[in-house]
């Protein structure tokens, strides 16, 4: 899982790293926007309909999940 940590990923690319569907990733992002910080990796809202994820944030979130025993 190497690469530029500042690379911006689409929902599909980020979901591939996380091993979940892009709809699940977007559902987590919607929950995070409502203040549920523990759900999914941090995202960037570019417009009303466009979200991206920083590769480094996704990888950090995955490492944190592994240490926490996988709970989302």
């Amino acid at each position: 899982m190497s690469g530029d940590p500042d690379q911006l990923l689409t929902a599909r690319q980020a979901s591939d790293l996380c091993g979940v569907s892009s709809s699940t990733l977007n559902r987590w992002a919607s929950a995070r926007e409502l203040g549920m910080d523990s759900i999914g990796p941090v995202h960037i809202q570019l417009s009303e309909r466009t979200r991206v994820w920083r590769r480094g944030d996704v990888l950090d979130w995955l490492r944190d999940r592994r240490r926490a025993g996988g709970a989302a």
Side-chain angles (χ1 to χ4, degrees):
M1 283 196 242
S2 64
D4 179 3
D6 290 324
Q7 177 187 4
L8 298 179
L9 305 175
T10 64
R12 174 174 240 166
Q13 292 168 319
S15 68
D16 286 346
L17 277 179
C18 292
V20 299
S21 70
S22 57
S23 61
T24 294
L25 190 67
N26 277 304
R27 189 172 62 249
W28 288 348
S30 293
R32 180 177 280 281
E33 290 166 6
L34 294 173
M36 302 171 87
D37 289 335
S38 64
I39 298 180
V42 174
H43 66 281
I44 300 166
Q45 189 81 36
L46 294 180
S47 71
E48 185 177 320
R49 297 179 47 95
T50 304
R51 295 178 180 119
V52 292
W53 288 258
R54 227 182 114 263
R55 175 182 288 276
D57 291 337
V58 172
L59 295 176
D60 288 347
W61 181 79
L62 286 169
R63 275 190 290 276
D64 290 346
R65 300 298 359 121
R66 186 172 55 216
R67 276 182 279 219

